[in-house]
Amino acid sequence: MIGFQIHQRDRAVDMATVEQFKKLPVANVSDMMSRMYAGGAHLRPMHDGTPMAGPAVTVRCRPGDNLMVHKALDVASTGDVIVVDAGGDLTNAIIGEIMVAYAKKRGLAGIVIHGAIRDSAEIGRGSFPVFAAGVTHRGPYKDGPGEINSIICLGGMTIEPGDLIIGDADGLLCVPFDITQKVYEQTVEKHAVEEKMLADIDAGTYDASWVDARLKALDCTF
């Protein structure tokens, strides 16, 4: 039935790629994607801030209903990130402490909810990555419909099953499957430049002359 389906995922980023991205700040990766991709500033870490990275298992569910999220917990493989489009609705929580404990036990890498969670204090004390848009005590329904491993969109960011999902204290980002290596190589270079800048600031040798050069190029009047 359309809108009530479970699909097989036919590709996913490999674990070697996942491990590479774990070492890089999400902000640097975003810079190398022209700052045009984001899951929405409202999707924030609800855990202790531990970085997250893994291939996406996508879920589209009716706002306030988590039946397909429960199924996704069993469909997902070790190291996967479950990414849920719950419409951004904050009326009912989609997951709570029990589902997070089960996801952790199954070896998943994290959960993203474009919607609300509950048991926020317990989740907040933990290191298992959970990103969500809000918190409410009101629990979910379990009636469906929904889809697993279809294309979803969070805050304008399109996610296909198997794409790389990364997250840290600055937020979430999807790196499309086909460009992960290119983005990684460019991000490594960007990160090295910023590390050099920080070292120069610490040493008192940082050159900020580019600011005046930029203002002059933009015809700013002094």
Side-chain angles (χ1 to χ4, degrees):
M1 178 185 297
I2 295 174
F4 207 2
Q5 305 177 83
I6 299 173
H7 304 281
Q8 293 292 325
R9 189 175 64 183
D10 58 9
R11 87 291 195 262
V13 293
D14 57 75
M15 286 300 114
T17 299
V18 170
E19 290 301 320
Q20 288 178 323
F21 273 88
K22 280 183 179 179
K23 304 170 185 175
L24 299 171
V26 171
N28 285 166
V29 182
S30 179
D31 287 346
M32 294 302 97
M33 297 176 69
S34 298
R35 308 179 180 109
M36 289 294 291
Y37 297 80
H42 57 291
L43 285 170
R44 307 303 306 160
M46 298 291 173
H47 59 295
D48 69 359
T50 298
M52 176 185 72
V57 170
T58 61
V59 182
R60 178 185 291 113
C61 62
R62 181 169 60 86
D65 190 289
N66 75 352
L67 177 62
M68 280 303 204
V69 183
H70 278 279
K71 182 60 179 176
L73 290 174
D74 289 324
V75 169
S77 300
T78 300
D80 283 343
V81 174
I82 294 179
V83 188
V84 182
D85 177 8
D89 182 77
L90 304 181
T91 306
N92 298 82
I94 299 298
I95 65 166
E97 180 185 14
I98 291 175
M99 293 179 75
V100 168
Y102 186 51
K104 183 177 180 180
K105 183 68 174 178
R106 294 213 62 243
L108 305 189
I111 302 177
V112 177
I113 306 291
H114 189 208
I117 67 163
R118 65 179 182 177
D119 303 324
S120 58
E122 293 77 9
I123 291 172
R125 288 193 292 267
S127 60
F128 183 83
V130 176
F131 290 77
V135 175
T136 179
H137 57 80
R138 296 177 63 175
Y141 300 98
K142 296 172 174 59
D143 303 306
E147 293 185 328
I148 295 176
N149 284 329
S150 60
I151 298 173
I152 62 173
C153 186
L154 308 186
M157 183 174 69
T158 301
I159 303 169
E160 297 189 33
D163 283 349
L164 176 66
I165 303 297
I166 57 175
D168 63 16
D170 286 339
L172 284 166
L173 183 62
C174 172
V175 184
F177 176 84
D178 292 329
I179 63 171
T180 53
Q181 189 58 35
K182 179 180 180 181
V183 171
Y184 171 74
E185 292 170 357
Q186 293 178 345
T187 304
V188 168
E189 294 178 4
K190 168 71 172 179
H191 189 52
V193 169
E194 292 199 356
E195 291 290 291
K196 175 66 165 54
M197 291 170 67
L198 289 170
D200 288 345
I201 290 171
D202 188 57
T205 58
Y206 177 66
D207 180 8
S209 61
W210 68 268
V211 177
D212 285 343
R214 180 62 174 160
L215 291 171
K216 183 178 179 180
L218 293 172
D219 201 24
C220 176
T221 301
F222 285 79

